[in-house]
Amino acid sequence: QGLRAELDTLTLPGSPALKLVYRLINQTAAYRDVEAGLMAFFQLDGTHKNGALHSRRMHRKRTPHMAWTLVEDWAAVENPETGRAAILVAGGGAGRVQFLDWGEDGGHLYRFQNAQVPPLETHETVTYLALAPSLEEAKGYQGLRHL
């Protein structure tokens, strides 16, 4: 439909964090309404079966029931057996994160932002992803939402 997608993945040597820059380039003369998003599927410590989901106000443990729940501008997945966690942060002060609770198939995250891309212009969505040894340490990355 005249949209081109680009994804840049940026990090520093030894860093546990990634900056993901997703661009939608409108190559047409028409406005395009888009939901620019990034789904992240987690297997902390090699398994997706026990990923507990966390946000500022909500926590969801593994159940056999599916639920896609809209949360704030960041969310984390934790392996409760090892404590290791990953956090997904919506950068730039825009967009939301959604729990992708797929029941027995694990807890995952979706970061999205609705936008209208003007003709011959570009829309960028910035997302940060970090791996940490604990949920508390992962929460330390939520400040990236302001960048």
Side-chain angles (χ1 to χ4, degrees), residues 27 32 37 132:
Q27 299 175 312
R32 298 290 184 196

Side-chain angles (χ1 to χ4, degrees), residues 6-133:
E6 297 178 353
L7 179 64
D8 288 335
T9 305
L10 309 163
T11 192
L12 294 171
S15 173
L18 296 173
K19 179 180 182 179
L20 306 164
V21 182
Y22 178 51
R23 278 183 217 86
L24 287 174
I25 302 158
N26 185 354
Q27 299 175 312
T28 72
Y31 283 83
R32 298 290 184 196
D33 292 321
V34 298
E35 182 178 292
L38 175 71
M39 286 186 178
F41 296 91
F42 294 94
Q43 288 191 358
L44 294 174
D45 302 303
T47 181
H48 66 276
K49 297 288 184 188
N50 60 355
L53 298 169
H54 301 276
S55 71
R56 194 174 291 112
R57 292 182 207 109
M58 186 176 293
H59 307 279
R60 186 165 169 91
K61 294 182 179 180
R62 300 278 19 97
T63 72
H65 308 288
M66 294 178 69
W68 290 29
T69 308
L70 184 63
V71 293
E72 297 88 15
D73 48 15
W74 68 269
V77 176
E78 174 196 24
N79 181 337
E81 292 178 5
T82 65
R84 287 172 41 99
I87 186 169
L88 192 70
V89 180
R96 299 292 294 256
V97 178
Q98 185 174 34
F99 287 171
L100 296 181
D101 185 342
W102 287 8
E104 297 296 327
D105 289 324
H108 309 291
L109 300 172
Y110 176 52
R111 187 270 201 256
F112 69 96
Q113 182 177 0
N114 293 317
Q116 186 177 72
V117 186
L120 305 174
E121 291 197 20
T122 300
H123 172 76
E124 279 191 355
T125 302
V126 176
T127 305
Y128 296 94
L129 176 63
L131 184 62

